[in-house]
Amino acid sequence: GGSHLPDITVITPVFHEGKVIFFVASRGHHADIGGIAPGSMPPHSTCLEDEGAMIIAFKLVKDGTFDEKGITEILQSPGKIPGNTGTRNLRDNLSDLRAQVAANQSGIRLLHELVKEYGLRQVDAYMKFIQCNAEACVRAMLREFAEKNGNRAHAIDHMDDGTPIELTIDIDKETGDAVFDFSGTGPQVLGNVNAPPAVTYSAVIYSLRSLVGQDIPLNEGCLAPIEFKIPKYCLLNPSDDAGVVGGNVLTSQRVVDVVLKAFKACAASQGCMNNLTFGDKKFGYYETIAGGAGAGPNWHGRSGVHTHCTNTRITDP
């Protein structure tokens, strides 16, 4: 799902004998896609159109041809809105998108090599095995937690403006199923720290993998035991036109803090990616700055480090 507008995802189908067998995807944060401020991370945006080009779905490559004209029109479209600007660095956008397309082609090539070597049936089976293993690991962790701490966990923390993020987790000790209920979370705000549900899903899957005592690759199986309840129009499930650019980089950190607090895993981080953005009409730069990390049962807190969802290791463990 979507996170915020600068994160553009390129998805490519993988064909085998005329049928789609997989999809590959690459997501890249683009340094500027237009909006009311350089870097497309405006601190004072109050609606989605303030934050840059809005791409719902667009066919980027057709018959082997990169549609430069079409994507350029989309990236420049915010400039049609009074007080707004199209992308400030179209050349970089186009280069980065071509790189994402190339990355997908590399993924397709590697998948074809796997299928050629092992056969589609075996590759498809192991795709499912990986997800089933992740699901089993998460269920085991949830059952173990429930045995030690009871079948209900609860935590609440707050944004800087006092908006609560509240989580109640109900765990079935027998099956390892769990309901993550964010009822009690404050309403969406006239600002940009609202977060689409995909941000909460990402924060939860990250937290679950951190809590599992085994190395498991990132995959959807981690969320198979989880049912989400996120009230409509709350901070974590806002309207389609709400500002969200800060939700991906600030609220996401606080959601992780709340999940880890509910599991009694560690103290909160600084709860923000500490974003710095600057530029002019032709240039936009954006970066995150380190902050504090919370202490845990067997370690002290740390200062001046990147934590959780910010610029930590780019490679998945």
Side-chain angles (χ1 to χ4, degrees), residues 22-270:
F22 300 114
F23 288 91
V24 294
S26 59
R27 172 172 289 177
H29 180 105
H30 289 245
D32 196 291
I33 56 162
I36 62 175
S40 301
M41 296 287 293
H44 304 301
S45 57
T46 58
C47 61
L48 193 64
E49 70 178 20
D50 289 344
E51 299 172 358
M54 295 178 283
I55 304 172
I56 297 176
F58 176 74
K59 196 166 187 177
L60 186 61
V61 178
K62 184 177 181 179
D63 297 328
T65 302
F66 184 89
D67 189 354
E68 182 173 325
K69 180 180 178 182
I71 193 63
T72 295
E73 290 177 356
I74 292 175
L75 292 169
Q76 297 289 15
S77 62
K80 300 175 182 178
I81 303 170
N84 219 319
T85 303
T87 180
R88 296 164 182 84
N89 198 337
L90 178 63
R91 184 179 65 180
D92 280 5
N93 293 134
L94 296 176
S95 295
D96 289 342
L97 286 168
R98 285 190 172 94
Q100 289 180 251
V101 171
N104 284 5
Q105 291 302 314
S106 180
I108 290 171
R109 176 179 56 79
L110 293 170
L111 279 169
H112 280 156
E113 290 177 4
L114 272 178
V115 171
K116 184 178 179 180
E117 183 173 357
Y118 296 103
L120 177 58
R121 183 177 179 180
Q122 188 166 349
V123 172
D124 187 58
Y126 273 87
M127 295 282 189
K128 292 182 174 65
F129 295 159
I130 289 171
Q131 294 183 52
C132 290
N133 178 65
E135 177 182 349
C137 290
V138 171
R139 288 187 187 277
M141 182 276 292
L142 291 169
R143 286 195 295 264
E144 182 180 354
F145 177 85
E147 287 294 332
K148 294 179 179 178
N149 301 278
N151 61 358
R152 170 166 286 193
H154 177 267
I156 186 171
D157 208 332
H158 301 80
M159 305 293 286
D160 286 348
D161 65 357
T163 299
I165 296 177
E166 186 168 359
L167 171 62
T168 301
I169 304 172
D170 287 307
I171 303 171
D172 186 319
K173 291 182 181 180
E174 300 299 322
T175 65
D177 288 313
V179 177
F180 280 56
D181 187 351
F182 288 89
S183 297
T185 296
Q188 71 178 67
V189 298
L190 187 63
N192 60 25
V193 295
N194 306 293
V199 171
T200 297
Y201 303 153
S202 296
V204 169
I205 197 172
Y206 163 82
S207 301
L208 292 174
R209 289 181 71 217
S210 300
L211 293 165
V212 168
Q214 302 180 47
D215 288 336
I216 53 175
L218 176 63
N219 67 83
E220 188 70 15
C222 297
L223 292 183
I226 311 303
E227 176 188 347
F228 287 91
K229 292 184 178 180
I230 310 175
K232 187 66 176 172
Y233 304 124
C234 79
L235 190 73
L236 305 181
N237 192 5
S239 59
D240 293 340
D241 58 351
V244 297
V245 76
N248 189 58
V249 296
L250 198 159
T251 311
S252 61
Q253 296 280 74
R254 185 55 78 215
V255 174
V256 169
D257 288 338
V258 171
V259 175
L260 295 179
K261 181 179 181 179
F263 282 100
K264 303 178 182 179
C266 63
S269 70
Q270 77 270 21

